[in-house]
Amino acid sequence: MFDLDNILHFAELNIQTIGIFIAIIGGLLVTKLLNLKIEKSELIDKLNILNIEIEYNSDRIKTRKEKIFKNNREAFIDEIYTHVIERDFNIDEYDAHGLSVEEREQTYKDIIDVYKKAGSIFRDREYYHEDIEKILSENKIYHDNEMYWVYYDIGSEFAEVRRTNYGPNSLPDLGSLKISNKFATLQKNLEERDLTNDYTKIVDINNWRIIEKQDIESKIKAIDVNLNIDLLTFLLITIFGIIVPQVIISIHPLFINYKFLKYWFAVYSILTFIISMLAMIVYIFNMYKSLKK
């Protein structure tokens, strides 16, 4: 059994058998590679489209979020304006209009700054009520300014009591001033409701797109891992099942001088054959399961 000719003949038979299976698996692997390449290309195309859509939706979400914040801040200004005039700074008593504590506190500070700026604009000058818009325009304060009506009403109060004895840093007593709700018209309420609904809808859609993106990315990753395993299996069997035994056979004269090598080669050839066959059977079985799935 351990005659050198028998060992070499057995090794050659093993190489031939493994070679046949390698050829079969090679054909299956090439077919699988082509199919997976097509599948991966399709997934990458979908991923690129999703990335574009997510980026687009993110921009829309950002724009709408900024608009909603602007509307909420304007509504909050309208809510607290008269209270600030009366020096009532208990912000917890009023509707927050979706603003955080920090945002509400900042709004208070901004209104107070507007008081000071408006005082410096209208104090100690003679003008009529109809001149207010012109004066504001000269100071680059236009209708799109969220504090426009604050400026306007302070200007109105100064116009009504022109050049009375106010100190250089004083502000008019507007405690009795009541501002009509300039932002809460029916049309504006409908627009804000539609804006909020649209914002919520886009956020929901974008969340689903992100989930789809993650799913596609996981599939692409799985394809790459699968391909790497297939190629690694194919290369290992080819190298250790065919190439290495062929090299050893080509230098078999060494067995004459080092007889223990032929026993090692015999064991190696048997183990390699068994391991290679098991690996190929497992590979074919997994491929079958994948195709069936």
Side-chain angles (χ1 to χ4, degrees):
M1 177 180 179
F2 289 100
D3 181 78
L4 181 57
D5 292 336
N6 290 337
I7 293 174
L8 295 177
H9 179 69
F10 176 74
E12 289 175 351
L13 290 177
N14 289 348
I15 292 172
Q16 292 176 4
T17 304
I18 294 174
I20 293 172
F21 275 88
I22 283 291
I24 296 173
I25 290 179
L28 295 174
L29 182 59
V30 170
T31 303
K32 185 177 181 180
L33 287 174
L34 292 174
N35 291 334
L36 290 179
K37 183 178 180 181
I38 294 172
E39 182 181 355
K40 184 177 178 179
S41 297
E42 293 175 350
L43 289 174
I44 290 176
D45 290 340
K46 290 181 181 179
L47 183 61
N48 291 334
I49 293 173
L50 280 175
N51 284 330
I52 294 173
E53 185 175 355
I54 290 172
E55 183 179 359
Y56 173 68
N57 286 337
S58 296
D59 291 338
R60 295 173 67 196
I61 290 171
K62 181 180 178 181
T63 302
R64 281 155 179 76
K65 188 175 182 179
E66 291 173 351
K67 179 64 176 176
I68 290 172
F69 172 75
K70 181 176 182 295
N71 290 342
N72 289 341
R73 184 174 150 95
E74 288 177 349
F76 184 63
I77 291 171
D78 187 63
E79 171 81 15
I80 68 169
Y81 176 62
T82 56
H83 300 290
V84 176
I85 293 174
E86 296 165 359
R87 303 299 190 267
D88 178 4
F89 297 102
N90 189 357
I91 63 176
D92 295 329
E93 292 184 0
Y94 314 116
D95 187 351
H97 292 279
L99 300 182
S100 67
V101 174
E102 293 78 11
E103 290 168 343
R104 281 177 277 160
E105 290 177 346
Q106 183 60 48
T107 304
Y108 268 92
K109 294 176 182 178
D110 293 341
I111 292 175
I112 293 172
D113 290 340
V114 167
Y115 285 167
K116 296 177 180 178
K117 185 175 180 181
S120 66
I121 292 173
F122 294 106
R123 186 186 295 112
D124 299 328
R125 69 184 301 168
E126 292 185 2
Y127 61 93
Y128 294 103
H129 189 276
E130 56 268 24
D131 297 327
I132 294 176
E133 290 193 21
K134 180 181 177 181
I135 293 171
L136 291 176
S137 179
E138 290 173 352
N139 287 271
K140 301 186 185 304
I141 300 170
Y142 306 108
H143 283 275
D144 58 351
N145 188 312
E146 63 179 359
M147 297 285 188
Y148 182 83
W149 293 108
V150 179
Y151 284 106
Y152 190 93
D153 286 320
I154 293 175
S156 297
E157 185 67 14
F158 273 112
E160 293 170 7
V161 291
R162 290 193 307 275
R163 304 190 64 77
T164 53
N165 296 323
Y166 289 109
N169 297 318
S170 65
L171 292 174
D173 181 11
L174 305 182
S176 61
L177 181 62
K178 302 297 180 183
I179 302 175
S180 61
N181 190 345
K182 304 172 182 64
F183 307 104
T185 62
L186 177 61
Q187 181 63 32
K188 189 170 184 65
N189 285 339
L190 291 174
E191 290 176 356
E192 291 178 358
R193 185 193 66 184
D194 292 341
L195 178 65
T196 301
N197 291 339
D198 189 40
Y199 172 80
T200 303
K201 182 179 178 181
I202 295 174
V203 169
D204 290 340
I205 291 174
N206 208 45
N207 288 338
W208 278 111
R209 294 295 179 267
I210 292 174
I211 292 174
E212 289 182 43
K213 175 185 175 181
Q214 293 172 345
D215 180 58
I216 290 177
E217 287 175 340
S218 65
K219 288 179 179 178
I220 292 174
K221 184 177 179 180
I223 288 175
D224 291 335
V225 172
N226 196 307
L227 289 176
N228 290 336
I229 293 175
D230 289 347
L231 291 173
L232 182 62
T233 301
F234 184 81
L235 289 174
L236 289 177
I237 294 175
T238 302
I239 293 172
F240 294 101
I242 297 178
I243 297 176
V244 172
Q246 284 282 20
V247 172
I248 294 174
I249 289 175
S250 67
I251 60 174
H252 73 273
L254 288 175
F255 297 161
I256 298 174
N257 297 325
Y258 303 97
K259 294 184 179 180
F260 70 93
L261 290 178
K262 70 178 182 180
Y263 299 109
W264 281 106
F265 180 58
V267 173
Y268 174 84
S269 182
I270 294 171
L271 291 178
T272 303
F273 178 76
I274 295 173
I275 293 172
S276 298
M277 295 303 295
L278 289 175
M280 287 186 285
I281 291 172
V282 171
Y283 176 82
I284 294 173
F285 178 72
N286 288 335
M287 182 177 289
Y288 168 75
K289 286 200 306 182
S290 177
L291 292 174
K292 184 177 181 182
K293 182 179 179 181

